[in-house]
Amino acid sequence: MKRKLTLAVVALVLAPGLASAMCSKSHDQAMTCAEGSVYNPETGSCVPQTTS
């Protein structure tokens, strides 16, 4: 009984750390810019949209 309780506590303590370790920075996140501007990946920011 004591061993099962210890394993359950260890699992509950480690679960959040393991879950966050699975979410790395390799996931892409959508960038939303204001109307009239577009995302520039070189600068990493929104720039005014130019029309030609």
Side-chain angles (χ1 to χ4, degrees):
M1 177 72 176
K2 187 174 182 179
R3 184 175 183 177
K4 287 183 182 180
L5 180 62
T6 302
L7 290 175
V9 169
V10 169
L12 290 174
V13 168
L14 294 178
L18 293 174
S20 66
M22 298 299 287
C23 296
S24 64
K25 293 184 179 182
S26 66
H27 296 287
D28 292 330
Q29 185 174 358
M31 178 68 179
T32 304
C33 296
E35 189 174 331
S37 61
V38 293
Y39 180 73
N40 183 341
E42 293 175 359
T43 61
S45 61
C46 295
V47 295
Q49 184 176 13
T50 56
T51 57
S52 50

